[in-house]
Structures are given as C-alpha cells and as structure tokens.
Amino acid sequence: MSANLIGLVCGVILAVVDFGLLTMLGRRMDLAGPSGVLRITAIVQLIAFPIIGWFLGPYIFGANG
C-alpha cells in the first residue's frame, strides 16, 4: 500500500470519527444555529481530511513506492 493510500485511510478514519462527535454534539445543543454550523463543519471535514491525508501521507509515512 502506498503512502498516499495510508494517508487517505487515516484521513477517512479521522473524518468519520470527527463527523460522529460533531453530529452528537450538535444533537445535544438546543439552539438551531450552532447545531447547523457544527453539521456543516462536519461535512466539510468529511471531505477535506481524506484529501489532506492523501497529500500528507508521503511526508509522514515515507516516499511513494
């Protein structure tokens, strides 16, 4: 498995865990405003973390190949 894929998998795992935590926190809040912002933040991180992991993987886990 290449370093890019390792970074991608780590990013996906981190994003899914963070999505669950932010969604759970949003459900516990009574106000609609902060809850909506947390949901949007969770969705953006669900997209961004795997992309960031793809590019950071070679720097953390070694060069490609």
Side-chain angles (χ1 to χ4, degrees), residues 10-51:
C10 290
V12 167
I13 291 170
L14 183 64
V16 168
V17 169
D18 192 44
F19 181 83
L21 290 174
L22 287 175
T23 304
M24 185 173 51
L25 180 63
R27 283 191 205 137
R28 294 189 70 190
M29 298 183 83
D30 293 334
L31 303 174
S35 168
V37 171
L38 286 174
R39 183 136 178 95
I40 292 170
T41 303
I43 292 170
V44 168
Q45 288 179 357
L46 193 60
I47 296 168
F49 281 0
I51 294 170

